[in-house]
Amino acid sequence: MSASAPLPDSASSIPYAVEMRGIVKRFPGVLANDHVDFDLRPGEVHALLGENGAGKSTLMNILSGLYRPDAGLIRVNGRPVHFNSPRDAIAAGLGMVHQHFMLVPTQTVTENIILGLSEPRFFLPLDQLDQRVLALQEQYGLRVDPKARIWQLSVGEQQRVEILKMLYRGANVLIMDEPTAVLTPQEVEELFHTLRAMVARGHSVIFISHKLDEVLKISNRITVLRQGRVAASGIPAHEATKAQLAQLMVGREVVFTVRKKPVQPGEVVLSVEDVCAENDRGLPALRHFSIQVRAGEIVGIAGVAGNGQSELAQVITGLRRCSCGRVVIAGEDIANRPPRAAIERHVAHIPEDRHGVGSSPGLSLAENLIMKSHRRPPISNGWVLNLPMIRRQAAQLKDEYNIIAPSVEVQARLLSGGNLQKAILAREISAGPRLIIAVQPTRGLDVGAIETVQNLLLKEREHGAAILLISEELEELLTLSDRIVGMYEGRHMGELNAEEATLAAIGLMMAGTPQGKPATR
Amino acid sequence: MTGQEMSANPVGGQGWQFPFSISIEPRLTVPKWLPALISVGSLGVAFVIGGIVLAVAGGNPLAIYAHLIRAAFGDIGVFNDTLVKASPLMLVGLACALAFRMKLWNIGAEGQFFLGAWGASAVVLAPILPRDTPAILMIPTMMLAGVACGALWGLIPGFLKAKFNVNEIITTLMMNYIAVSWVLFWVFGEWSESGFQMSPMFPRNAWLPRLTDYAAQIPQFAGLTLHAGILFGLIVSVVVWFITSRSRWGYEIRLIGDNKEAARYAGVDIARNTMLLMMVSGGIAGLAGMAEIAGVVHRLQGAISNNYGFTGIIIAWLAKLNPFAVILVSVLFGGLIQAGREIQPSGVPRMLQGIILFCVIAGDVLLRYRIQITRR
Ligand SMILES: Nc1ncnc2c1ncn2[C@@H]1O[C@H](COP(=O)(O)OP(=O)(O)OP(=O)(O)O)[C@@H](O)[C@H]1O
Ligand SMILES: [Mg+2]
């Protein structure tokens, strides 16, 4: 409790907004929280940092009433509380925005906001409610059309609806679990604007993120968890440095530079030629897009989310139909062939949606690790699965890729977000791919894991794999890519070599101004 | 914006407050033992509710239950009859359990059962094989025909689902009625025995071996009609277990059932698996029809199923899709059907079946939600 923190209150007479003492939470095989102390002052943004699987989500799930602690005490505004459910937590003024939104896609914003409330009881005076929602938006700078239906909204807008939902329920403390992982830089700015407005009105915020720059920018104090324990408690953000935080999280020094060896690119492995495709809503997502990736090179795609990058990855891997053009992999056109065609040509795919596409939540970690390889020996011999082999291989990958889980038999849905991502990476990269389609490969990973994954991708490049990297992290694109292609509204906005690429030039391409070399076919 | 808690007090009056509050929250993890406990619990609750209904109707529930148990499990004779009833239930329950693994809602086991019976009968009645074919050839051919016809009856909705995304619940349900009519068409017409609405009796070489057939060697078997069909059930349960938990195909089935998108991403052919699984499921139900015809009825007629196809759905659910649990639950339901024939009014076991289904479905809520009652 350093009194030097630049806080609206440093007087000790005002009780903490939230105080957690000695919280213990044990899951089968893991001690997720080991006597964790955490406190939140009124009117502050308190960041919670930690490695993947350190127990951040667990701690916040306890605070939001989803889990019950095995031991420990929670006080809200100085009064002890016992939550049996999220309802209790909301009643006490604590609202959590999960990384996975819980909205009904076919209903409007207002309908989603009032969903589950007992008032109004019978009739929905929707216009009146819309007005109330608008008034809330006004106060906090959360713009979103109350009459819009959820499926029409971008991810950032959906997140605003989640925040509005909590504010509407009278939440005084907002808990946000990795809110920025899915946002564009512009949307992050808007979120921060909102958070500042909330703090100004006396709310407090708990903010989980793996992005240290953001944490340093938005938070007043920082608490770091490591392996379920507090590694640093409430250090003032203005005294912290990135390197120090990284070291606290991982327990070793993290070098923020990744070394890229020169590699002479080989033959063309992937050639996307003149491809058109539609998105889920039937609107054009790719408009005559072309790109080539050669063995031993990383080609990065820069673009604001929703400009066709996801669709491009899906067309290449056979998950989406294209209405024109060719997708040539190692000399063979596989456009509109089933996904298996790409798999058989050793195309690895790290999908954007790790819960919905990249993994099967109800199956075990081991079973998730054999997706795709389950057809071939040694995983299966003819009809029969080789269970000992599956277990052995899973244990090996778990060690090699540092996937933190109590055993390889746990259901994938119980893995922490970052560890699930590591499992997907382990599966895809260990298959020895010729082409890797990596979409946001480091999203949700801690700094240590990011370094590992980036080095893994570079190693694959040295081994001659062709890599298409789709990322919204410009830093990542710049460090890893040999060439960077801009993408805007499904069109090719030109190509820059790694040496000539600057943040400014990439920004222009992302905004729709062609730069560098035009697309070649 | 108050009243966040679901109050057990319906009017929400200000003065007196119900001393407990009830909250319902989604369950995040399901302990391994919970499904079994809930299944047993739902059964228990069903019998309690049934008992209340019986008491209200003026009966003595305990006496009636005791009577039911005696009528189904009381001596070797009735237990034999219970197992005879359980034999088709096992197969049909396994057919449903397998399809449900992929979240393929095959409600058509009844129709596939009828088609299986029809196919097996056709071997004898069409005739496909001469009447005096030795059993060693006759029986396997009938099995094959029964499985093939059931599989075909499953394949049709499977194909419609795979190619045109037609809801399989509706198609399989509708095809039940077609299947029954199809069998009636044959027993009223072509295969009718001198105008009666049933076919002539099959020759002995088309009968499945029964215990009583060996009474000459083992006198205790005399009068026991338990037939080889129960072995089909036991063998198929091992096969189904092997498919779902040990085979590559079973892995794909579970993957599709758990997350279709991930299955597609992993290159699993969902259309092909849908058709294949509906065929196998239909084939197992068809085998049940064959076993019933060749083991019990020994002729084709309209009334060959005690609603076996539909009971199979309840059994699969109560067994939580576990193939070995299907065997146990089938014996229990065989007992209920058996008791229904023995005692008057026979409506009681039927009512119990209905209540059990109701409780099983209601009990599933406990798997997904945690209900907490706390003192205010
Ligand atoms: N419901 C659960 N059952 C069993 N184990 C769980 C459960 N929830 C979390 N865990 C385990 O507890 C540990 C902590 O997980 P948690 O989700 O809190 O990590 P985290 O700090 O949020 O990580 P990340 O940054 O990857 O999201 C992990 O090892 C995870 O596998
Ligand atoms: Mg987490």
Side-chain angles (χ1 to χ4, degrees), chain A residues 478-521:
Chain A
L478 282 168
T479 28
L480 296 183
S481 314
D482 296 294
R483 295 184 286 134
I484 296 178
V485 168
M487 198 163 181
Y488 178 74
E489 292 190 341
R491 288 199 186 84
H492 192 293
M493 284 295 129
E495 171 189 315
L496 301 168
N497 279 327
E499 304 81 55
E500 63 189 3
T502 59
L503 279 176
I506 296 176
L508 281 171
M509 293 199 296
M510 288 168 65
T513 319
Q515 302 284 310
K517 269 193 305 200
T520 49
R521 285 217 266 131

Side-chain angles (χ1 to χ4, degrees), chain A residues 58-126:
Chain A
T58 303
L59 187 68
M60 290 304 117
N61 284 333
I62 288 172
L63 187 56
S64 64
L66 213 52
Y67 295 157
R68 263 187 294 178
D70 298 334
L73 182 77
I74 304 174
R75 271 194 284 260
V76 173
N77 297 324
R79 275 185 304 132
V81 288
H82 294 279
F83 298 148
N84 287 319
S85 73
R87 277 169 195 275
D88 296 351
I90 290 176
L94 311 181
M96 179 151 172
V97 176
H98 293 267
Q99 201 177 334
H100 253 75
F101 303 146
M102 300 166 182
L103 300 171
V104 185
T106 52
Q107 294 202 324
T108 69
V109 169
T110 302
E111 283 165 349
N112 267 282
I113 288 174
I114 60 167
L115 193 71
L117 291 177
S118 47
E119 270 167 42
R121 236 170 231 272
F122 296 111
F123 303 103
L124 290 180
L126 273 178

Side-chain angles (χ1 to χ4, degrees), chain A residues 52 100 353-356 358-361 365 368-369 403-404 411-427 445:
Chain A
N52 296 126
H100 253 75
D353 182 355
R354 59 185 170 218
H355 294 282
S359 68
S360 192
L365 170 58
N368 270 275
L369 288 171
I403 303 166
I404 296 166
Q411 286 192 334
R413 69 190 182 89
L414 298 182
L415 293 181
S416 81
N419 282 301
L420 183 61
Q421 180 73 358
K422 286 193 230 166
I424 293 171
L425 283 158
R427 176 184 71 216
L445 294 186

Side-chain angles (χ1 to χ4, degrees), chain A residues 4 16 39 148 168 182 194 223 226 228 272 283 328 342 407 419 432 436:
Chain A
S4 64
Y16 288 115
D39 50 57
Y168 193 94
V182 289
T194 300
T223 290
R226 185 161 77 230
V272 172
L283 304 171
V328 181
S407 81
N419 282 301
I436 303 175

Side-chain angles (χ1 to χ4, degrees), chain A residues 292-347:
Chain A
Q292 286 195 339
V293 187
R294 286 175 294 171
E297 78 171 345
I298 298 182
V299 177
I301 300 242
V304 176
N307 275 281
Q309 302 96 310
S310 315
E311 287 81 3
L312 176 63
Q314 291 163 350
V315 165
I316 295 171
T317 50
L319 293 172
R320 182 177 293 275
R321 295 190 63 79
C322 57
S323 50
C324 72
R326 306 192 329 140
V327 176
V328 181
I329 292 175
E332 213 179 327
D333 181 11
I334 62 158
N336 291 335
R337 298 270 303 275
R340 193 146 165 208
I343 294 170
E344 275 163 1
R345 282 161 188 77
H346 305 284
V347 178

